[in-house]
Amino acid sequence: ITVGDDTWYSLTGVNMNNVDYKGKTFWFIQKYVTAGGYRNSTSSLITGQVFDADWSNDYDQSDIYTYLSETGAYISTAVTGIADSDLYGKITERSVSETYTVNYADEPQENIFSSKLWLINQAELGLLNGSAVNNYNTNVGISYGIGNTAGFDGQGANWWLRSPLAGYADSAQYIDPNGYFNEYSTEDLKGVRAAFEITIPA
């Protein structure tokens, strides 16, 4: 996919041995789903953070964006297995400006934010998947909540994308517990997989 003047490539299945990383920027996404909405063996649903109902118009004003923007202890869950607090200082802040066609608005809606931790959108999901994800019910693989790696009843965890739906003010895209790309109301509880980027010095 193209982001600004840059082209980004999926590294799914790519052998990265003996690759010169200097001067390159890489995106990462946390392995497990956090922030609620995932299943475990003692409860059918773990409650947590919830999107504002109008998130599709105001991603940068949503509860979930505020949650991702808080450095606190969250970074320890954003990178599984790395507790080094200095890691946050190595993450590059990403500035995004994107527009969406909205059926109920006269003009396209602009989504602007700058953050070290963010949600991926539908196009970026294609990078994660290794191929474009253009149709609902495309399977991108099951993800589990932290501490719930074995799943519950064979299911994983819901997690949100940042892509809104053009025709609905209170709906957005997400991945369901079985790993399928779908959409639902933003008032529903779902978790997140935080993404971030790191630039390797030249």
Side-chain angles (χ1 to χ4, degrees), residues 28-30 34 59 64-79 87-88 91-94 96 113-120 162 192-198:
F28 299 86
I29 185 169
Q30 72 184 102
T34 58
Y59 173 77
I64 207 71
Y65 180 79
T66 300
Y67 176 78
L68 291 171
S69 299
E70 294 173 351
T71 59
Y74 185 76
I75 190 62
S76 65
T77 62
V79 188
L87 175 67
Y88 193 82
I91 295 177
T92 308
E93 185 164 294
R94 180 184 177 212
V96 173
F113 68 92
S114 183
S115 181
K116 289 192 172 187
L117 300 174
W118 29 272
L119 303 186
I120 63 173
R162 75 170 185 272
V192 296
R193 293 179 68 189
F196 57 96
E197 66 178 36
I198 293 178

Coordinates of all heavy atoms in Angstrom, one line a residue, residues 28-30 34 59 64-79 87-88 91-94 96 113-120 162 192-198:
F28 N 4.8 -2.6 13.4 CA 4.6 -3.8 14.2 C 3.2 -3.7 14.8 O 2.6 -2.6 14.9 CB 5.6 -3.8 15.4 CG 7.0 -3.9 15.0 CD1 7.7 -2.8 14.7 CD2 7.7 -5.1 14.8 CE1 9.1 -2.8 14.3 CE2 9.0 -5.2 14.5 CZ 9.7 -4.0 14.2
I29 N 2.6 -4.9 15.1 CA 1.3 -4.9 15.8 C 1.4 -5.9 16.9 O 2.1 -6.9 16.8 CB 0.2 -5.3 14.8 CG1 -1.2 -5.2 15.4 CG2 0.4 -6.7 14.2 CD1 -2.4 -5.3 14.5
Q30 N 0.8 -5.6 18.0 CA 0.9 -6.5 19.2 C 0.3 -7.8 18.8 O -0.7 -8.0 18.1 CB 0.2 -5.9 20.4 CG -1.3 -5.8 20.4 CD -1.8 -5.1 21.7 OE1 -2.2 -4.0 21.6 NE2 -1.8 -5.8 22.8
T34 N -5.9 -6.7 23.5 CA -6.0 -6.2 24.9 C -7.2 -5.2 24.9 O -7.9 -5.0 23.9 CB -4.8 -5.4 25.3 OG1 -4.5 -4.3 24.4 CG2 -3.6 -6.3 25.4
Y59 N -12.1 9.7 15.1 CA -11.2 8.7 15.7 C -10.3 9.3 16.7 O -10.1 8.8 17.8 CB -10.4 8.1 14.6 CG -9.3 7.2 15.1 CD1 -9.7 5.9 15.5 CD2 -8.0 7.6 15.2 CE1 -8.7 5.0 16.0 CE2 -7.0 6.7 15.6 CZ -7.4 5.5 16.1 OH -6.4 4.6 16.6
I64 N -11.0 5.1 22.7 CA -10.0 4.1 22.4 C -8.7 4.8 22.0 O -7.6 4.4 22.3 CB -10.4 3.1 21.3 CG1 -9.7 1.8 21.4 CG2 -10.3 3.7 19.9 CD1 -10.1 1.0 22.7
Y65 N -8.8 6.0 21.2 CA -7.6 6.7 20.9 C -7.0 7.3 22.1 O -5.7 7.3 22.2 CB -8.0 7.8 19.9 CG -6.8 8.6 19.4 CD1 -5.9 8.2 18.5 CD2 -6.5 9.9 20.0 CE1 -4.8 8.9 18.1 CE2 -5.4 10.6 19.6 CZ -4.6 10.1 18.7 OH -3.5 10.9 18.3
T66 N -7.8 7.8 23.0 CA -7.2 8.3 24.3 C -6.5 7.2 25.0 O -5.4 7.4 25.6 CB -8.4 8.9 25.2 OG1 -9.0 9.9 24.5 CG2 -7.8 9.4 26.5
Y67 N -7.1 6.0 25.0 CA -6.4 4.9 25.7 C -5.1 4.6 25.1 O -4.1 4.4 25.7 CB -7.4 3.7 25.6 CG -6.9 2.4 26.1 CD1 -6.8 2.1 27.5 CD2 -6.4 1.4 25.3 CE1 -6.4 0.9 28.0 CE2 -5.9 0.2 25.7 CZ -5.9 0.0 27.1 OH -5.4 -1.2 27.6
L68 N -5.0 4.6 23.7 CA -3.8 4.3 23.0 C -2.7 5.4 23.2 O -1.5 5.1 23.2 CB -4.0 4.1 21.5 CG -4.8 2.8 21.1 CD1 -5.2 2.9 19.6 CD2 -4.1 1.6 21.4
S69 N -3.2 6.6 23.4 CA -2.3 7.7 23.5 C -1.6 7.8 24.9 O -0.6 8.5 25.1 CB -3.0 9.0 23.2 OG -3.5 9.0 21.9
E70 N -2.2 7.2 25.9 CA -1.7 7.2 27.2 C -0.5 6.2 27.3 O -0.6 5.0 27.1 CB -2.7 6.8 28.2 CG -3.9 7.8 28.3 CD -5.0 7.4 29.2 OE1 -5.0 6.2 29.6 OE2 -5.9 8.2 29.5
T71 N 0.7 6.8 27.7 CA 1.9 5.9 27.7 C 1.9 4.9 28.8 O 2.0 3.7 28.6 CB 3.2 6.8 27.7 OG1 3.1 7.6 28.9 CG2 3.3 7.7 26.5
G72 N 1.6 5.4 30.0 CA 1.4 4.6 31.2 C 2.0 3.2 31.2 O 3.2 3.0 30.8
A73 N 1.3 2.2 31.6 CA 1.7 0.8 31.6 C 1.4 0.1 30.3 O 1.7 -1.0 30.1 CB 1.1 0.1 32.7
Y74 N 0.7 0.8 29.4 CA 0.2 0.1 28.2 C 1.3 -0.4 27.3 O 1.1 -1.5 26.7 CB -0.7 1.1 27.4 CG -1.4 0.4 26.2 CD1 -2.4 -0.5 26.4 CD2 -0.8 0.5 24.9 CE1 -3.0 -1.2 25.4 CE2 -1.4 -0.2 23.9 CZ -2.5 -1.0 24.1 OH -3.0 -1.7 23.1
I75 N 2.4 0.3 27.2 CA 3.5 -0.2 26.3 C 3.9 -1.6 26.7 O 4.4 -2.3 25.8 CB 4.6 0.8 26.3 CG1 5.6 0.5 25.2 CG2 5.3 0.9 27.6 CD1 5.0 0.6 23.8
S76 N 3.8 -2.0 27.9 CA 4.3 -3.3 28.3 C 3.4 -4.4 27.7 O 3.8 -5.5 27.5 CB 4.3 -3.5 29.8 OG 3.0 -3.4 30.3
T77 N 2.2 -4.0 27.3 CA 1.3 -5.0 26.7 C 1.3 -4.8 25.1 O 0.9 -5.7 24.4 CB -0.1 -4.9 27.1 OG1 -0.7 -3.6 26.8 CG2 -0.2 -5.1 28.6
A78 N 1.8 -3.7 24.7 CA 1.8 -3.4 23.2 C 2.9 -4.3 22.6 O 2.8 -4.6 21.4 CB 2.1 -2.0 22.9
V79 N 4.0 -4.6 23.3 CA 5.0 -5.4 22.8 C 5.2 -6.6 23.7 O 5.8 -6.5 24.8 CB 6.4 -4.6 22.7 CG1 7.4 -5.5 22.0 CG2 6.2 -3.3 22.0
L87 N 11.7 1.3 25.5 CA 11.2 1.0 24.2 C 10.3 2.1 23.6 O 10.3 2.4 22.4 CB 10.4 -0.4 24.2 CG 9.8 -0.8 22.9 CD1 10.8 -1.1 21.8 CD2 8.8 -1.9 23.1
Y88 N 9.5 2.6 24.5 CA 8.5 3.7 24.0 C 9.3 4.8 23.4 O 8.8 5.4 22.5 CB 7.7 4.1 25.2 CG 6.5 5.0 24.8 CD1 5.3 4.3 24.3 CD2 6.5 6.3 24.8 CE1 4.2 5.1 23.9 CE2 5.4 7.1 24.4 CZ 4.3 6.5 23.9 OH 3.2 7.2 23.5
I91 N 10.0 4.4 19.7 CA 8.9 4.3 18.7 C 8.7 5.7 18.1 O 8.7 6.7 18.7 CB 7.6 3.9 19.4 CG1 7.7 2.4 20.0 CG2 6.4 4.0 18.5 CD1 6.5 2.0 20.7
T92 N 8.5 5.6 16.7 CA 8.3 6.9 16.0 C 6.9 7.3 16.0 O 6.0 6.5 15.8 CB 8.7 6.6 14.5 OG1 10.0 6.1 14.4 CG2 8.7 7.9 13.7
E93 N 6.6 8.6 16.3 CA 5.2 9.0 16.2 C 4.8 9.1 14.8 O 5.5 9.7 13.9 CB 5.1 10.4 16.9 CG 3.7 10.9 17.0 CD 3.5 12.0 18.0 OE1 3.7 11.8 19.2 OE2 3.2 13.1 17.5
R94 N 3.6 8.6 14.5 CA 3.1 8.6 13.1 C 2.0 9.6 13.0 O 1.1 9.6 13.7 CB 2.6 7.2 12.8 CG 2.0 7.1 11.4 CD 1.5 5.7 11.1 NE 0.9 5.7 9.8 CZ -0.2 4.9 9.4 NH1 -0.8 4.2 10.3 NH2 -0.6 5.0 8.2
V96 N -1.1 10.9 10.6 CA -2.0 10.3 9.6 C -3.1 11.4 9.2 O -3.7 12.0 10.1 CB -2.7 9.1 10.1 CG1 -3.8 8.6 9.1 CG2 -1.7 8.0 10.3
F113 N -4.8 12.2 12.9 CA -4.2 12.0 14.3 C -2.7 11.8 14.2 O -2.1 11.6 13.1 CB -4.9 10.7 14.9 CG -4.5 9.4 14.2 CD1 -3.4 8.7 14.6 CD2 -5.3 8.9 13.2 CE1 -3.1 7.5 14.0 CE2 -4.9 7.7 12.5 CZ -3.8 7.0 13.0
S114 N -2.1 12.0 15.3 CA -0.6 11.8 15.4 C -0.4 11.0 16.7 O -0.8 11.5 17.8 CB 0.1 13.1 15.5 OG 1.5 12.9 15.5
S115 N 0.2 9.9 16.6 CA 0.3 9.0 17.8 C 1.4 8.0 17.6 O 1.8 7.6 16.5 CB -1.0 8.3 18.1 OG -1.0 7.5 19.2
K116 N 2.0 7.5 18.8 CA 2.9 6.4 18.7 C 2.2 5.1 18.7 O 2.8 4.1 18.1 CB 3.8 6.5 20.0 CG 4.8 7.7 19.9 CD 5.9 7.5 21.0 CE 7.0 8.6 20.8 NZ 8.1 8.3 21.7
L117 N 1.1 5.0 19.2 CA 0.3 3.7 19.2 C -1.0 4.0 18.5 O -1.7 5.0 18.8 CB 0.0 3.2 20.6 CG 1.2 2.9 21.4 CD1 0.8 2.5 22.8 CD2 2.0 1.7 20.8
W118 N -1.5 3.2 17.5 CA -2.7 3.4 16.7 C -3.3 2.1 16.3 O -2.6 1.1 16.4 CB -2.4 4.3 15.5 CG -1.0 4.2 15.0 CD1 0.1 4.9 15.3 CD2 -0.5 3.3 13.9 NE1 1.2 4.5 14.6 CE2 0.9 3.5 13.8 CE3 -1.2 2.3 13.2 CZ2 1.6 2.8 12.8 CZ3 -0.4 1.6 12.2 CH2 1.0 1.8 12.1
L119 N -4.5 2.2 15.8 CA -5.2 1.0 15.2 C -4.9 1.0 13.7 O -4.8 2.0 13.1 CB -6.7 1.1 15.5 CG -7.2 1.2 16.9 CD1 -8.7 1.1 16.9 CD2 -6.6 0.1 17.8
I120 N -4.8 -0.2 13.1 CA -4.6 -0.3 11.7 C -6.0 -0.1 11.0 O -7.0 -0.3 11.6 CB -4.0 -1.6 11.3 CG1 -4.8 -2.8 11.7 CG2 -2.6 -1.8 11.9 CD1 -4.3 -4.2 11.1
R162 N -9.5 0.9 12.6 CA -9.9 2.3 12.8 C -10.8 2.7 11.6 O -11.2 3.9 11.5 CB -8.7 3.2 12.9 CG -7.9 3.4 11.6 CD -6.9 4.5 11.8 NE -6.2 4.9 10.6 CZ -5.1 4.2 10.1 NH1 -4.6 3.3 10.9 NH2 -4.5 4.6 9.0
V192 N -8.4 -4.3 21.3 CA -7.6 -3.6 20.3 C -6.3 -4.4 20.2 O -5.8 -5.1 21.1 CB -7.3 -2.2 20.7 CG1 -8.5 -1.3 20.7 CG2 -6.6 -2.1 22.0
R193 N -5.6 -4.2 19.0 CA -4.2 -4.7 18.8 C -3.5 -3.4 18.4 O -3.6 -2.9 17.2 CB -4.1 -5.8 17.7 CG -4.8 -7.1 18.1 CD -4.7 -8.1 17.0 NE -3.3 -8.5 16.8 CZ -2.9 -9.3 15.8 NH1 -3.8 -9.6 14.9 NH2 -1.6 -9.6 15.6
A194 N -2.7 -2.9 19.3 CA -2.0 -1.6 19.0 C -0.9 -1.8 18.0 O -0.2 -2.8 18.0 CB -1.4 -1.1 20.3
A195 N -0.8 -0.9 17.0 CA 0.3 -0.9 16.0 C 1.2 0.3 16.3 O 0.8 1.3 17.0 CB -0.3 -0.8 14.6
F196 N 2.4 0.1 15.9 CA 3.4 1.2 16.1 C 4.5 1.0 15.0 O 4.6 0.0 14.4 CB 4.0 1.2 17.5 CG 4.7 -0.1 17.9 CD1 6.0 -0.3 17.8 CD2 3.9 -1.2 18.4 CE1 6.6 -1.5 18.1 CE2 4.5 -2.4 18.8 CZ 5.8 -2.5 18.6
E197 N 5.4 2.1 14.9 CA 6.5 1.9 13.9 C 7.8 2.3 14.6 O 7.8 3.1 15.5 CB 6.2 2.8 12.7 CG 6.2 4.3 12.9 CD 6.0 5.1 11.6 OE1 5.2 4.6 10.8 OE2 6.6 6.2 11.5
I198 N 8.8 1.7 14.1 CA 10.2 2.0 14.5 C 11.1 2.2 13.3 O 11.1 1.3 12.4 CB 10.7 0.9 15.4 CG1 9.9 0.8 16.8 CG2 12.2 1.1 15.7 CD1 10.4 -0.3 17.7

